[in-house]
Amino acid sequence: MLETLASHLDQIAALAPTYGYLFVFVFMAIESSFIPFPSEVVMIPAGFLAARGEMGSALLAVVIAILGSLVGAYLNYFLSLWLGRPFLEKYGKYFFVKKEPLDRACEVFNKYGSATTFVCRLIPVIRQLISIPAGISKMPLLPFTFFTALGAGIWSAILCFVGYVIGRSTSDISYMELVLKGKMMATDNLPIVVCGAIVLAALYVMVEKLVMNEK
């Protein structure tokens, strides 16, 4: 899918000066929902075009990506809240929610708690699905929003930064090469980012338990 979508980026990039931020919002909302869509195709070119002055601010692109991610995550959250797990397990396969990844996401969420909505936003495959067990478990909306925005923001910023660096250092590159090179760079450093996120999540859980025990 990544290669197929990247092959159409030349046409989309031509519209970036006018519709670039709209593309970022819409595609990141799709990426964050139950529809499989690679965020690398969106945010790496956004950073690349920003570096070349063809799409305004990279920082604004990240902010808009967070907003789009929240919209997609809210879709998963509220659908899961209203439909429940039995419905999703039975009919989820008809709208890209397979039972095994769903079970894994629910297992991780139930084992480690609400902070997983932050850490899992950085992990491929489970990234989109982690908002589903949050909805099933009726996680409070405010912490769900905070953790989702934080995780989506970090991931979007990483991809945008990678694209920005490539845009500054490379004179000529196709969008296919850009996405594949950027994905490799992001993937190589992902374990460090995930470990940092786990540490932050663990600290949050420890502080939360201390506060609850004091009450």
Side-chain angles (χ1 to χ4, degrees), residues 6-134:
S7 66
H8 297 288
L9 280 175
D10 288 302
Q11 296 93 328
I12 297 174
L15 301 173
T18 304
Y19 301 107
Y21 293 130
L22 177 61
F23 288 153
V24 169
F25 179 84
V26 171
F27 288 139
M28 289 305 290
I30 293 172
E31 187 271 344
S32 192
S33 71
F34 53 81
I35 301 172
F37 189 91
S39 52
E40 294 89 347
V41 173
V42 184
M43 296 311 300
I44 294 174
F48 180 83
L49 293 170
R52 299 197 169 195
E54 298 177 31
M55 209 190 87
S57 167
L59 178 59
L60 182 56
V62 172
V63 171
I64 291 175
I66 293 171
L67 296 176
S69 295
L70 283 174
V71 169
Y74 284 151
L75 176 63
N76 282 2
Y77 176 90
F78 285 110
L79 282 177
S80 304
L81 181 66
W82 295 330
L83 298 177
R85 184 169 179 174
F87 178 91
L88 293 173
E89 288 183 340
K90 187 173 183 180
Y91 298 106
K93 61 184 178 181
Y94 296 111
F95 44 95
F96 309 109
V97 180
K98 296 180 180 179
K99 187 177 184 302
E100 289 184 5
L102 175 61
D103 288 343
R104 179 56 180 159
C106 290
E107 179 186 346
V108 170
F109 183 88
N110 293 333
K111 185 174 182 179
Y112 298 105
S114 59
T116 55
T117 54
F118 162 53
V119 177
C120 290
R121 294 296 307 187
L122 304 171
I123 302 175
V125 180
I126 203 172
R127 178 183 302 129
Q128 295 94 335
L129 296 181
I130 197 60
S131 53
I132 294 178

